[in-house]
Amino acid sequence: MGNLSLASSTFADTDYLIPGILLGNLGSLGEAAIVTGILGFLLLVLLANAVMKKEAQPQEARQS
């Protein structure tokens, strides 16, 4: 983080660092790339949520 002049940033600041860099790089590819990147990330979050909910179900509920 020192190379980005963010060595004194707090943890909350770094939460936005990675998405900001990714969106900034997508922005250089155009508006469609930003929209596609955001929608792709949303899809990944929804899929991860579905998988984690399925794994969290009790064993008895899966068998019925």
Side-chain angles (χ1 to χ4, degrees):
M1 285 179 37
N3 291 339
L4 295 173
S5 301
L6 298 171
S8 63
S9 295
T10 64
F11 180 73
D13 294 334
T14 59
D15 285 350
Y16 298 103
L17 180 67
I18 303 293
I21 290 172
L22 294 175
L23 286 175
N25 288 335
L26 283 175
S28 67
L29 300 174
E31 190 174 312
I34 293 175
V35 172
T36 302
I38 291 171
L39 292 176
F41 180 74
L42 177 63
L43 181 65
L44 285 174
V45 169
L46 292 174
L47 287 172
N49 183 38
V51 168
M52 291 184 347
K53 276 186 179 180
K54 188 175 184 178
E55 289 177 359
Q57 289 179 347
Q59 200 61 325
E60 296 166 4
R62 287 188 215 167
Q63 293 175 353
S64 55

